[in-house]
Amino acid sequence: MTSVETKTDNIKLEYEGTLFSEWSVPGTCSIKNKRSPKTELRCSSPGIQIIKPIVTGPDLEEERYLSVDSSHTCFLWYYKVINFTNNLTQVIVIWIYDPENADPSELLWNANEPSLNSIILSKQLATLGQKPAIYTVLRRKVYFPHRKMKNGTWHISIPMTADDVLKEIRGNQVAFQDCFIADIFFLLTFSLLTIPEIPGFLPISSPQGSQLMADWAACVPSFVVVVADMETFQTNDSFRTWTRIRVPPNILTDDERHSVSDVTLSQDGIFFLINGILYFKNYNAFKGLGSNVNLPDGGIIGITSRKWCWINYLLKDKGRRSSMAIWTEKEVYLGYALLKFVKIITTEKLKELLNMSSAATLTIHNVEYTGHPLELALLLNYCITCNIIKKIYLVIYNEDTKQWVFQDFALDVTTDTFLIPNFIYSAMPELILWDKHRIYYYYHNFTDTGVLQTPTEFGNLSRLSHNSTIHDVFMDYYGNIVVKMENNVMFYFKINIKDGVKLHLWTNSTIKSLISLNTSGKMYLIHVFENGTIHPQEYPLKLEAQSITFKTKEKCPYIAFHNDIFRVFYLLDKGQNLSVWAQIVYPENIGLYIIVESYGPKILEEKNQVHYEIASGYCTKTMTITFSQNINYEAVDDYFKLQYQNTGLLLVHVRPSEHAKTCPVSQKVFQISVGCDANKFIAVKGFDKKECLQHDFFYIIEKSYLRDRPSKHLRVKYNWEKYGCPLRVDFREKFHPVVQLYNDSGYVEDVEVNFIVWEIHGRHDYSFNNTMKKSGCLHEAQTWKSMTELNKRLPLEEAWGPENYKHCFSYAIGKPGDLNQPYEIINKSNHNHLVWPLDHSGMYVFRVKILDPNYSFCNLTTIFAIETFGVIPSPSAYMVAAFLFLLMLLFFSILVLSYFHYLRIYREYIYEPLHKSERKQKNN
């Protein structure tokens, strides 16, 4: 029987089988067709309703205790994603639908456009003021529709991201006919394409009769690969659509193609384990992997990938995080992007590390990633004679610190026992193990252990499921754990719970099925049929668990458990603290409390403050948890070593002291990383790349203006892309740089602490207006000259920084010296300015570095450029002499020319006419 709660008065009922007679329902409910195996139920009042199918034959069906809600949330959001890979954006098309009047394609989530009813409903609510918005959970960003409603839909454009995948559609608090719209969470990242089917390629599958195998991307659970005994299937939308994965002929034999023993999905493609050899399939190729990629050519017994999504994490040593693990009986390899593989350990080396006897036999039993974003666990077989009994040990490897830690874990089993581990989503190393018949739990860092108990048969699940064996164990982020048997019988419990219950029968025992997560983070079933098709089916885990626990009368010990931990990742820089609170409400005289547990290096101080209230028979405890740092990094012997020791990754979870299967959420898990935020940067206020002509150019710096006094002038290329627009400053104006801190969300604050500047091309023809004495120094302050002389072997940019900064405001440090020197340290409030030369203009490209050792783990630097103007250059003596020479030459030339000019005039108009008249008189 299938029951689905739709947040309305209608409940869909379905019975699978041939012996159905009619439905038995309570008098407060009416049924559409009592004798139809597929019908609808309507209940007029909320509460627990007992529903049972009456069948013919000797076997009786179980009755269901169905919880009917009286919520006013009747409508749902529907969304469709359109990917634009050319500009890495996604357009989310959103509309509203009513489940009772929706199109079948909307209920199956494969609609391309809204139905007529949905268009009318969306438009009606829009006229009442409804408008959706998309909120991102991790980065706390909000996106709104970028245009008016079109054809009953809203369109919201968002960037494709790999680190902000969890999103929520929320609307305004608008009601229509007293009904609201339910907010919806969903996962969305880059468009992940499935491998297309190619004609002529052949199926690849597991051996005939074997159970389904699957793997999915930890942060995109809708991206799944499933291996059945006739085909392999892949989907990127939780099997709303899917393709078959097939391989080219003549690479594998027919037996090899049907011998897949394990599968793993990665960003590079799909990995298949076949007869001890690892094979790889992507869009372009299918090939075997071995010594060509640093893997063994055979003998591989297992592969695995990460199960829990940690998008953000801190790597102290700037290394890589693996995406998969591969192992033989003697060796373990880690796999990275682009088919890079590294061997990390052998059993011989493990014997040395763990001080084990050389005569003992040590082999690798199984490998699994833990709940920690950087850790991997190895189950080891250990025995001396190895005839009947062997011990299972557990070691954990940290990919960042490269350390192996032996855990307080030992389990005696028979030599033919094979255990499969699955680590819980928790801060502490907690896991469950299973063999064919039983579940073993290891809670609270291996301090609380045992076998999962059942009402009968002492925890042997096979005896409760017609001698079937355990097929798979499913866990989600809310603490739910479902054990699925090979015949589709399922058992349910939650983390930190030591007993399980058998769920109602749901799927026919002859159908191959598997449990997975959909894009909303909810459980669903994958069914594979003999005809080579695959079908997803929603599974209402909450309703089924409520029905079972109602019969057992189990109740949650607390009424509510609240907190303000809205993120799963917090990054603290120097001096930053984190405060969160958690609150539990419970009936008085029970004595519950809140537990805070952390796992990782001891780099933060923790303080807890509890506030207690009691009223109307209920107790409320509110705990405020503060994580803080108190390390002073100034004037220490080894600055970088101290930084390294006080950075790292800490996992924390907050949980109630008691749990039950009926409690909604078991615990809240989050990560605190202490270190440098790679998204943090600084910039000088007033500089950008838009207010100038965007081009590169060259300029000359005279050799006398350079720090190192070279023999030639320096020709410099101004790189606009790197330096940005230069700020033009009059040479008489002093300049005080204001440094601002930014992250990927934008402006954070003005930097108040000390920083230094230097001209990157070696200019030193500038100074500072403040002297050391004026700045309040009690001894000579550090300067570029003193620091470069002290660190001659280091380049200029490394000679002075937070690692060797010492202030000048104490008599105990340094020597008195000359306090009339310029003070070369700037901060926002000390009014220290850059001063320019008065006899020439120039182009200055400065680099800024934060000097305060207690400000940030990051090496925060930036560049800005200044161009001075307004100086009238002093003329050169050579030019003056040349100019005077030319002027005198011109003067004498004019005199000479004037002489000859007037001489010609004299001859022409005076001398020659006079002598001409005298000659005439003589002739007469």
Side-chain angles (χ1 to χ4, degrees):
M1 182 186 71
T2 301
S3 57
V4 179
E5 182 182 9
T6 61
K7 297 292 184 181
T8 64
D9 293 333
N10 279 9
I11 300 167
K12 294 184 178 180
L13 302 178
E14 182 177 355
Y15 180 84
E16 295 180 358
T18 59
L19 302 178
F20 178 80
S21 177
E22 63 179 36
W23 294 100
S24 172
V25 298
T28 56
C29 298
S30 60
I31 193 165
K32 197 170 185 179
N33 186 345
K34 190 175 184 179
R35 298 189 178 277
S36 173
K38 189 174 183 179
T39 186
E40 289 185 0
L41 179 73
R42 180 181 290 269
C43 296
S44 58
S45 60
I48 301 296
Q49 310 292 344
I50 303 175
I51 301 167
K52 182 179 180 180
I54 300 174
V55 297
T56 59
D59 297 328
L60 298 178
E61 286 289 343
E62 292 181 294
E63 56 190 11
R64 301 285 176 95
Y65 298 86
L66 188 63
S67 175
V68 177
D69 198 356
S70 62
S71 172
H72 287 281
T73 303
C74 316
F75 308 132
L76 301 174
W77 294 109
Y78 190 99
Y79 69 92
K80 181 179 181 295
V81 181
I82 304 175
N83 296 296
F84 294 92
T85 55
N86 59 326
N87 59 0
L88 297 180
T89 60
Q90 295 167 311
V91 173
I92 315 299
V93 183
I94 301 173
W95 65 84
I96 305 165
Y97 73 101
D98 180 358
E100 292 187 14
N101 300 293
D103 191 80
S105 62
E106 291 176 319
L107 297 177
L108 295 173
W109 276 85
N110 56 17
N112 292 318
E113 58 185 19
S115 62
L116 180 60
N117 287 333
S118 297
I119 292 174
I120 295 171
L121 179 62
S122 299
K123 288 182 176 180
Q124 181 65 46
L125 280 160
T127 59
L128 297 174
Q130 184 59 266
K131 180 184 287 188
I134 294 179
Y135 294 76
T136 68
V137 176
L138 299 178
R139 294 196 174 275
R140 320 294 291 177
K141 294 185 178 181
V142 185
Y143 301 93
F144 298 97
H146 53 76
R147 63 184 183 186
K148 293 183 178 180
M149 173 179 278
K150 182 180 179 181
N151 298 327
T153 63
W154 293 273
H155 292 71
I156 301 178
S157 179
I158 63 175
M160 291 184 182
T161 60
D163 58 355
D164 201 12
V165 298
L166 186 57
K167 298 173 174 66
E168 182 184 18
I169 300 177
R170 297 186 210 162
N172 300 326
Q173 292 298 315
V174 175
F176 177 64
Q177 296 180 350
D178 294 329
C179 282
F180 293 89
I181 310 168
D183 298 337
I184 179 173
F185 282 97
F186 64 101
L187 294 168
L188 184 63
T189 182
F190 282 90
S191 176
L192 299 174
L193 302 177
T194 57
I195 300 174
E197 297 181 35
I198 299 178
F201 279 23
L202 303 175
I204 184 169
S205 67
S206 57
Q208 186 65 34
S210 58
Q211 294 292 316
L212 300 182
M213 293 180 287
D215 192 38
W216 55 81
C219 295
V220 192
S222 59
F223 193 53
V224 192
V225 59
V226 172
V227 179
D229 60 359
M230 86 291 288
E231 289 279 3
T232 295
F233 308 90
Q234 188 184 17
T235 181
N236 58 8
D237 56 6
S238 299
F239 287 102
R240 295 173 193 164
T241 61
W242 47 271
T243 59
R244 295 180 177 89
I245 301 299
R246 297 195 168 186
V247 298
N250 305 322
I251 294 180
L252 300 174
T253 66
D254 288 345
D255 288 340
E256 289 172 332
R257 284 193 301 104
H258 301 295
S259 299
V260 176
S261 57
D262 211 342
V263 66
T264 289
L265 184 65
S266 82
Q267 61 184 13
D268 293 324
I270 304 172
F271 295 89
F272 295 98
L273 182 59
I274 301 173
N275 297 338
I277 300 174
L278 192 64
Y279 290 86
F280 173 70
K281 169 71 175 173
N282 66 0
Y283 302 98
N284 305 315
F286 177 74
K287 58 185 178 181
L289 303 177
S291 55
N292 57 329
V293 291
N294 196 35
L295 282 176
D297 292 316
I300 297 174
I301 60 175
I303 56 176
T304 190
S305 61
R306 297 185 182 276
K307 299 298 186 292
W308 301 114
C309 177
W310 290 104
I311 294 173
N312 298 308
Y313 49 87
L314 180 71
L315 283 166
K316 291 173 62 172
D317 292 326
K318 309 302 179 186
R320 297 177 298 171
R321 190 178 79 140
S322 65
S323 59
M324 64 180 298
I326 307 101
W327 65 96
T328 66
E329 285 192 345
K330 299 289 186 180
E331 300 168 330
V332 179
Y333 298 79
L334 293 183
Y336 303 89
L338 303 177
L339 299 183
K340 303 295 183 183
F341 299 93
V342 176
K343 180 166 66 175
I344 59 168
I345 200 68
T346 65
T347 51
E348 291 301 318
K349 183 65 176 177
L350 277 172
K351 279 186 183 181
E352 297 177 14
L353 293 175
L354 304 177
N355 296 319
M356 290 182 173
S357 170
S358 59
T361 299
L362 185 69
T363 59
I364 297 169
H365 183 87
N366 213 328
V367 178
E368 187 57 85
Y369 285 99
T370 72
H372 192 285
L374 301 175
E375 290 188 346
L376 178 78
L378 272 62
L379 288 179
L380 303 174
N381 296 315
Y382 177 85
C383 56
I384 303 294
T385 58
C386 303
N387 292 328
I388 301 174
I389 299 296
K390 65 181 179 182
K391 278 189 178 292
I392 303 292
Y393 289 125
L394 187 144
V395 292
I396 291 180
Y397 173 70
N398 188 290
E399 293 189 53
D400 192 24
T401 63
K402 306 295 188 293
Q403 292 181 339
W404 293 89
V405 180
F406 188 72
Q407 302 297 317
D408 185 15
F409 176 98
L411 181 64
D412 292 329
V413 296
T414 58
T415 53
D416 60 346
T417 298
F418 183 72
L419 298 171
I420 302 174
N422 209 335
F423 279 81
I424 294 169
Y425 183 66
S426 169
M428 310 299 291
E430 299 179 293
L431 78 155
I432 60 171
L433 294 167
W434 66 92
D435 55 22
K436 291 182 178 182
H437 314 291
R438 288 181 172 84
I439 300 290
Y440 305 85
Y441 59 82
Y442 291 83
Y443 299 144
H444 312 319
N445 202 10
F446 308 108
T447 59
D448 189 0
T449 67
V451 175
L452 183 75
Q453 294 300 303
T454 52
T456 59
E457 304 299 343
F458 304 102
N460 190 320
L461 304 185
S462 294
R463 295 178 183 173
L464 295 171
S465 55
H466 309 290
N467 295 319
S468 183
T469 57
I470 298 174
H471 170 214
D472 195 19
V473 176
F474 168 83
M475 295 192 293
D476 65 13
Y477 291 91
Y478 303 101
N480 298 305
I481 304 176
V482 178
V483 182
K484 179 193 165 299
M485 310 299 286
E486 290 188 355
N487 64 355
N488 295 323
V489 172
M490 293 188 289
F491 297 87
Y492 172 76
F493 65 108
K494 293 179 81 79
I495 64 173
N496 298 316
I497 300 298
K498 303 174 184 179
D499 63 289
V501 292
K502 185 178 179 181
L503 293 171
H504 299 297
L505 292 177
W506 186 272
T507 305
N508 192 302
S509 61
T510 61
I511 297 176
K512 298 287 181 66
S513 68
L514 194 71
I515 306 172
S516 187
L517 278 174
N518 61 18
T519 54
S520 299
K522 296 181 179 179
M523 170 182 165
Y524 76 103
L525 294 174
I526 301 169
H527 294 156
V528 176
F529 300 97
E530 294 297 332
N531 61 358
T533 61
I534 194 165
H535 175 69
Q537 184 186 40
E538 290 187 12
Y539 181 79
L541 177 61
K542 180 180 177 181
L543 283 179
E544 294 295 281
Q546 284 178 342
S547 178
I548 291 294
T549 53
F550 181 82
K551 292 173 63 176
T552 60
K553 307 300 181 182
E554 183 175 355
K555 292 185 178 180
C556 183
Y558 54 87
I559 306 301
F561 179 61
H562 301 296
N563 60 75
D564 72 336
I565 306 167
F566 300 118
R567 301 183 181 181
V568 295
F569 177 79
Y570 294 91
L571 180 55
L572 303 184
D573 210 335
K574 290 177 181 176
Q576 293 181 334
N577 301 329
L578 174 66
S579 290
V580 297
W581 59 262
Q583 183 182 80
I584 187 170
V585 181
Y586 58 92
E588 61 179 328
N589 301 323
I590 292 183
L592 300 185
Y593 52 94
I594 298 170
I595 297 175
V596 180
E597 295 176 306
S598 62
Y599 176 74
K602 305 301 180 183
I603 53 178
L604 292 174
E605 292 186 356
E606 179 187 328
K607 286 186 179 180
N608 299 332
Q609 185 177 2
V610 179
H611 179 71
Y612 180 79
E613 293 181 0
I614 183 169
S616 303
Y618 292 96
C619 300
T620 302
K621 283 183 181 177
T622 305
M623 175 183 284
T624 302
I625 311 121
T626 302
F627 299 93
S628 60
Q629 314 169 63
N630 62 352
I631 305 297
N632 184 9
Y633 295 91
E634 186 174 339
V636 295
D637 294 333
D638 194 331
Y639 172 83
F640 295 109
K641 181 180 179 181
L642 186 63
Q643 276 199 145
Y644 187 86
Q645 291 173 344
N646 288 280
T647 56
L649 187 157
L650 191 70
L651 283 185
V652 183
H653 66 217
V654 181
R655 62 180 178 86
S657 58
E658 293 185 17
H659 303 270
K661 292 186 284 293
T662 52
C663 296
V665 178
S666 299
Q667 59 191 18
K668 187 70 176 181
V669 183
F670 60 100
Q671 177 192 156
I672 306 176
S673 289
V674 180
C676 173
D677 182 358
N679 296 313
K680 184 180 290 187
F681 63 95
I682 58 172
V684 178
K685 184 179 180 180
F687 292 81
D688 58 32
K689 293 185 178 180
K690 299 178 181 178
E691 297 181 355
C692 65
L693 182 62
Q694 301 176 5
H695 72 290
D696 295 350
F697 57 89
F698 291 90
Y699 63 95
I700 302 296
I701 303 176
E702 286 192 29
K703 59 185 180 181
S704 60
Y705 303 156
L706 296 170
R707 186 187 305 272
D708 297 330
R709 299 289 181 176
S711 59
K712 297 180 180 179
H713 300 322
L714 180 64
R715 186 171 185 262
V716 175
K717 179 182 179 181
Y718 189 91
N719 187 327
W720 173 85
E721 185 65 32
K722 191 174 181 181
Y723 305 151
C725 292
L727 180 68
R728 287 177 54 81
V729 175
D730 190 284
F731 77 103
R732 292 163 294 187
E733 294 181 9
K734 297 178 291 187
F735 179 74
H736 179 78
V738 176
V739 180
Q740 297 179 321
L741 181 68
Y742 292 83
N743 60 22
D744 56 345
S745 297
Y747 170 81
V748 177
E749 64 181 7
D750 285 356
V751 176
E752 305 277 351
V753 300
N754 291 339
F755 59 90
I756 52 176
V757 300
W758 70 97
E759 213 283 334
I760 65 173
H761 299 119
R763 297 189 75 139
H764 73 147
D765 56 332
Y766 62 91
S767 186
F768 300 84
N769 70 314
N770 277 3
T771 63
M772 298 177 187
K773 184 176 182 179
K774 184 179 178 181
S775 299
C777 289
L778 301 176
H779 64 81
E780 190 174 305
Q782 293 173 327
T783 63
W784 277 110
K785 181 179 179 181
S786 64
M787 297 307 291
T788 51
E789 289 178 354
L790 190 64
N791 302 284
K792 293 180 179 179
R793 296 182 179 180
L794 297 176
L796 180 66
E797 60 270 15
E798 296 180 14
W800 192 9
E803 67 275 10
N804 54 18
Y805 168 70
K806 294 180 182 179
H807 65 78
C808 63
F809 307 110
S810 172
Y811 289 111
I813 305 174
K815 57 182 180 179
D818 181 10
L819 299 186
N820 292 317
Q821 299 179 69
Y823 184 65
E824 299 183 1
I825 299 172
I826 308 174
N827 61 45
K828 186 180 179 182
S829 60
N830 70 354
H831 305 291
N832 201 9
H833 293 70
L834 291 168
V835 180
W836 315 112
L838 301 178
D839 58 345
H840 61 272
S841 299
M843 179 72 73
Y844 299 82
V845 181
F846 290 101
R847 184 175 291 277
V848 178
K849 179 193 284 188
I850 300 298
L851 190 61
D852 192 320
N854 289 311
Y855 186 70
S856 177
F857 289 106
C858 304
N859 181 27
L860 294 173
T861 66
T862 190
I863 286 180
F864 69 97
I866 298 287
E867 181 184 9
T868 61
F869 69 93
V871 174
I872 300 175
S874 301
S876 169
Y878 296 104
M879 291 188 66
V880 171
F883 178 75
L884 290 175
F885 174 76
L886 291 173
L887 188 63
M888 292 177 65
L889 181 63
L890 178 63
F891 175 74
F892 283 111
S893 298
I894 293 172
L895 283 177
V896 172
L897 291 172
S898 298
Y899 169 75
F900 286 105
H901 179 68
Y902 283 107
L903 182 61
R904 185 177 63 80
I905 294 173
Y906 173 76
R907 285 178 176 177
E908 184 177 352
Y909 294 104
I910 299 177
Y911 179 79
E912 288 183 357
L914 181 62
H915 285 274
K916 187 176 181 181
S917 63
E918 288 179 354
R919 283 196 298 271
K920 284 182 178 181
Q921 290 176 359
K922 287 180 180 181
N923 291 333
N924 295 331

